[in-house]
């Protein structure tokens, strides 16, 4: 099983997005957190900035939309250059229609679950998605502590994905660092978002490499 490292730029220096993205050229994706001040109590960036990021990023863009009304807004993030667009299950009115629309536009479609949202309702419709994002913090802010009680949910997701035979990625996001990435990999995650671990370190490139090595040693 291959693993992917997707550093979140939420904690990078926003006055130098191009320079900050340049530091993670050894990553697989750049994770871009879009927050609207409604779905989560924080406001970050929107379509024009994602467009600018996509123009200068050395790696494809993994958009994580923490917004209300993704049914209306999410397609714009594909147009802006998001190669993967993930919306929240709690916010979508018609998640299947939306995932199909995103895929039709040529993007990977992801569905994200907050910590208290069960995975079970989605297990029968796995084929509609390219990625399941299991939040390991309450969405809204970088730098929070990893919630390890999410690991049974990751394990159940992994078992269902294996049973389905489909190539669906399982992403974990929140509090992923050298201390926690192996726990998440052991549980069955294969796609790892790390924000502060990468951008608060002295050498973002080296941190991506270190996280990759740790995860690779623990993937199934
Ligand atoms: C949280 C965001 C995360 C966050 C991760 O709402 O979705 O992507 O930036 O940051 P760390 O790795 O610092 O928890
Ligand atoms: Zn995120």
């Amino acid at each position: 099983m291959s693993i992917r490292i997707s550093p979140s730029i939420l904690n990078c220096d926003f006055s130098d997005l191009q320079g900050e993205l340049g530091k993670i050229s050894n990553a697989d994706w750049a994770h871009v957190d879009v927050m609207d001040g409604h779905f989560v109590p924080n406001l970050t960036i929107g379509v024009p900035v994602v467009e600018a990021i996509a123009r200068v990023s050395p790696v494809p863009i993994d958009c994580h939309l923490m917004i209300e009304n993704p049914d209306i807004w999410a397609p714009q993030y594909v147009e802006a250059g998001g190669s993967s667009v993930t919306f929240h299950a709690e916010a979508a009115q018609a998640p299947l229609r939306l995932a199909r629309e995103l895929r039709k536009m040529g993007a990977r479609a992801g569905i994200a679950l907050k910590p208290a949202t069960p995975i079970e309702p989605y297990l029968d419709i796995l084929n509609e998605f390219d990625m399941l994002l299991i939040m390991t913090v309450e969405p809204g802010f970088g730098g929070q502590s990893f919630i390890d009680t999410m690991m049974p949910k990751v394990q159940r997701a992994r078992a269902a994905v294996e049973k389905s035979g489909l190539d669906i990625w399982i992403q974990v996001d929140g509090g992923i660092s050298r201390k926690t990435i192996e726990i998440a990999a052991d549980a069955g995650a294969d796609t790892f978002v790390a924000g502060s671990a990468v951008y608060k370190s002295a050498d973002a490139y080296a941190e991506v490499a270190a996280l990759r090595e740790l995860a690779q040693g623990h993937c199934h």
Side-chain angles (χ1 to χ4, degrees):
M1 198 168 82
S2 51
I3 68 119
R4 290 154 288 269
I5 305 290
S6 184
S8 162
I9 61 165
L10 187 60
N11 271 301
C12 82
D13 175 1
F14 273 24
S15 70
D16 180 20
L17 283 170
Q18 186 165 8
E20 294 286 77
L21 285 158
K23 293 178 182 173
I24 57 154
S25 58
N26 58 335
D28 301 283
W29 294 82
H31 183 88
V32 177
D33 289 303
V34 174
M35 306 187 189
D36 66 353
H38 294 277
F39 182 71
V40 288
N42 195 7
L43 183 64
T44 56
I45 57 169
V47 170
V49 177
V50 172
E51 232 165 50
I53 288 170
R55 271 203 303 275
V56 299
S57 176
V59 292
I61 304 302
D62 165 29
C63 272
H64 176 194
L65 304 180
M66 286 158 276
I67 60 174
E68 298 285 7
N69 296 319
D71 305 70
I72 293 167
W73 299 111
Q76 291 192 24
Y77 289 88
V78 182
E79 281 165 16
S83 302
S84 173
V85 173
T86 299
F87 57 86
H88 267 268
E90 305 85 358
Q93 300 293 325
L96 303 199
R97 185 166 61 216
L98 178 54
R100 288 174 186 185
E101 185 178 353
L102 297 173
R103 281 175 152 182
K104 204 162 144 201
M105 294 175 78
R108 298 178 58 88
I111 186 153
L113 306 178
K114 289 166 69 169
T117 304
I119 184 90
E120 279 65 29
Y122 302 95
L123 297 183
D124 286 339
I125 50 169
L126 286 179
N127 64 315
E128 301 284 346
F129 306 104
D130 298 297
M131 185 164 80
L132 303 173
L133 165 48
I134 297 176
M135 292 301 302
T136 43
V137 297
E138 285 288 2
F141 302 92
Q144 303 181 77
S145 301
F146 179 75
I147 302 173
D148 60 3
T149 50
M150 291 300 108
M151 294 306 98
K153 190 175 3 179
V154 174
Q155 284 165 355
R156 292 195 300 276
R158 170 54 60 198
V161 167
E162 292 307 311
K163 196 167 157 211
S164 74
L166 299 164
D167 181 24
I168 299 166
W169 299 353
I170 299 177
Q171 186 175 64
V172 281
D173 181 9
I176 299 294
S177 68
R178 293 193 199 202
K179 284 202 182 82
T180 57
I181 195 165
E182 294 162 293
I183 299 168
D186 278 338
D190 59 10
T191 306
F192 304 88
V193 176
S196 44
V198 169
Y199 278 106
K200 298 255 183 246
S201 76
D203 184 344
Y205 188 95
E207 198 59 31
V208 169
L211 290 171
R212 185 189 298 288
E213 189 155 335
L214 286 171
Q216 255 159 3
H218 283 257
C219 75
H220 298 260

